[in-house]
Amino acid sequence: MKIAIDEAACLKCLRCQRVCPSGVYEAESGQVPRVVAPDGCISCGHCVDVCTAGCIRHESFPEGTVREIRAELLPKPEQLMELMRSRRSNRTITSRPIPEEALADILEAARYAPTAENSRRVVVTVISSPERLQAIEDAVMRLFLSMKNVLTSAPVKPLTRALLPNLYAQAPALERFRLLWEAGKRPCLCEGTALLVFSAPKGYDFGWQDCNLAYQNASLMAEAHGVSQVYMGLVQTALRFMPSRRASRLLSLPRGHKAYALMSLGVPALRYGRYTVR
């Protein structure tokens, strides 16, 4: 990694050394920091962003990639809190397409989520084809209906109720979903017009954490744009019972990746005007 400091411009404030998580810089008070461990750099950009003199030349951040923060655009704490309090899993999703600029912002928000050691291994796959969405819906419904018939049969029912109470409790809902599905609806996907699949490499220790941090960013941005976003817990559960290769093909995952979070998106028919205190 190539990192250099413009000694003439350096203010010797040592801010770069203080914020670096990898010990790349070394310095004493009143001296220009020295780059002592460039190979340990994780390209987080902390040093470049904190340098008020702009004197750090970093290979990962060439000229034109460092921007000044526009403080006037930052939300006030009460504005951000209001957004989080008012956010809902709004299931009144219509068939209207998601505006392109809204989807672009949602994906950009996900990309800016923090990741362990700045590994940035999260990939967000967008599925918006009606045929693809229907294929996912069909696969999930068929799986759960086949499981329901087995788990609620007379010989197995007592064990299901004792050992899998959550799944057992979903049996009535699955019957309602079956009726909607047979009527041409997509109840498992909440009628979403797009599905975001957050994935990371299999075996990566922080796949679940990183993907759900990205999900949170995307969810807040969707709310800011007035786009409904619903966590696909039912679909996520179904994926655990599917062969991994089939799940990967169904979701068009990158090779060697596993899905850790799924979000259904759509334009809602109505907006909530209130929120209940929780």
Side-chain angles (χ1 to χ4, degrees):
M1 183 68 66
K2 295 179 181 179
I3 306 172
I5 297 176
D6 183 344
E7 296 188 11
C10 181
L11 301 177
K12 305 179 181 66
C13 63
L14 308 189
R15 299 177 83 180
C16 56
Q17 182 189 29
R18 292 175 64 185
V19 301
C20 178
S22 304
V24 170
Y25 303 95
E26 185 177 280
E28 296 179 6
S29 179
Q31 294 183 349
V32 175
R34 292 181 296 113
V35 179
V36 295
D39 291 341
C41 178
I42 60 173
S43 296
C44 63
H46 289 350
C47 60
V48 175
D49 291 342
V50 82
C51 180
T52 56
C55 66
I56 298 177
R57 306 291 177 259
H58 198 296
E59 179 183 1
S60 295
F61 309 102
E63 187 176 354
T65 63
V66 182
R67 311 287 173 81
E68 294 290 331
I69 293 175
R70 298 174 61 185
E72 73 276 9
L73 295 182
L74 295 177
K76 292 180 170 53
E78 59 269 23
Q79 293 172 323
L80 185 57
M81 184 61 76
E82 192 73 2
L83 176 67
M84 291 187 286
R85 284 172 172 163
S86 62
R87 181 176 51 170
R88 288 278 183 176
S89 292
N90 189 338
R91 288 169 165 80
T92 64
I93 294 178
T94 68
S95 59
R96 296 199 302 272
I98 301 166
E100 290 183 8
E101 63 274 15
L103 183 57
D105 279 352
I106 292 168
L107 295 174
E108 182 77 346
R111 193 171 68 83
Y112 269 89
T115 58
E117 297 182 341
N118 196 42
S119 61
R120 307 186 67 81
R121 298 185 182 184
V122 175
V123 172
V124 184
T125 302
V126 182
I127 300 174
S128 57
S129 160
E131 294 78 16
R132 294 282 314 290
L133 293 172
Q134 191 62 53
I136 295 170
E137 180 78 30
D138 293 347
V140 172
M141 281 302 307
R142 288 182 181 124
L143 175 69
F144 276 123
L145 290 176
S146 65
M147 290 179 61
K148 173 181 174 291
N149 293 335
V150 173
L151 296 176
T152 59
S153 62
V156 183
K157 192 173 181 179
L159 287 175
T160 305
R161 182 184 295 172
L163 301 178
L164 300 169
N166 292 332
L167 191 59
Y168 180 81
Q170 293 296 322
L174 285 174
E175 180 60 22
R176 178 169 56 86
F177 274 29
R178 181 185 67 80
L179 295 174
L180 291 170
W181 176 56
E182 291 179 349
K185 303 293 185 180
R186 293 198 297 262
C188 292
L189 297 180
C190 298
E191 303 300 326
T193 55
L195 180 68
L196 302 189
V197 183
F198 298 78
S199 68
K202 297 176 183 177
Y204 171 51
D205 290 341
F206 297 97
W208 186 92
Q209 293 89 333
D210 288 358
C211 284
N212 281 276
L213 284 169
Y215 183 105
Q216 178 78 329
N217 268 25
S219 178
L220 289 171
M221 181 56 74
E223 188 71 25
H225 272 284
V227 174
S228 289
Q229 67 312 148
V230 185
Y231 196 94
M232 296 283 93
L234 190 65
V235 179
Q236 191 76 31
T237 299
L239 293 175
R240 295 208 305 264
F241 293 97
M242 288 185 188
S244 60
R245 288 186 179 180
R246 185 186 178 202
S248 295
R249 288 195 301 269
L250 194 64
L251 301 177
S252 297
L253 296 181
R255 186 179 181 86
H257 269 230
K258 177 181 178 180
Y260 288 98
L262 295 96
M263 176 191 296
S264 184
L265 290 175
V267 178
L270 53 84
R271 298 294 299 273
Y272 288 83
R274 302 173 180 174
Y275 67 82
T276 50
V277 178
R278 290 173 275 169

